[in-house]
Amino acid sequence: MANLQLASYIDLHRVTLGSAFTLDFHAHVEGGNNLNWSGYTPKATMKVGTVSIAVTGTVVSQGGGTATVSWTAAQTATLPVNSWGEITIYADPTATAENLAIGVVQVQTAAEVIP
């Protein structure tokens, strides 16, 4: 499989502690074609400070390269407040052990909604 990448830049996301959080994304293979998710599972890890939360996502369009990953309110409640971190998005191949990186998104946490 060629290198994977986000189809477009994803801006900083703000995560309100204790609230469910979802990130939708579109993945391409090198050269600009949509990632075909056949044989892959979308996954992501959000790391803020020393807290790391890994989740398994859902494919939205198998041939269209789109997927979504979500964290529950209980999971985001464990993150440190007013901190910066990142979400690493990857494709987990079902046939091999090596994950394929897609991209990284910056996150900021807050105790309440930041306007």
Side-chain angles (χ1 to χ4, degrees), residues 15 21 23 25 41-57 68-71 75-76 79 84-92 99-107:
V15 178
F21 175 75
L23 179 66
F25 64 94
T41 302
K43 294 193 175 182
T45 301
M46 183 186 311
K47 182 170 177 150
V48 180
T50 60
V51 179
S52 183
I53 307 169
V55 295
T56 299
T68 187
V69 288
S70 300
W71 289 263
Q75 289 172 315
T76 66
L79 297 170
W84 294 87
E86 63 186 26
I87 297 171
T88 303
I89 304 166
Y90 56 97
D92 181 19
N99 293 323
L100 302 172
I102 296 172
V104 176
V105 177
Q106 300 301 309
V107 294

Side-chain angles (χ1 to χ4, degrees), residues 14-19 76 80-83 108-115:
R14 291 184 174 89
V15 178
T16 303
L17 303 185
S19 296
T76 66
V81 68
N82 299 327
S83 298
Q108 179 185 19
T109 62
E112 56 192 43
V113 175
I114 300 172

Side-chain angles (χ1 to χ4, degrees), residues 2-22:
N3 292 329
L4 302 180
Q5 59 197 25
L6 291 170
S8 60
Y9 175 77
I10 299 176
D11 288 329
L12 166 76
H13 275 292
R14 291 184 174 89
V15 178
T16 303
L17 303 185
S19 296
F21 175 75
T22 299

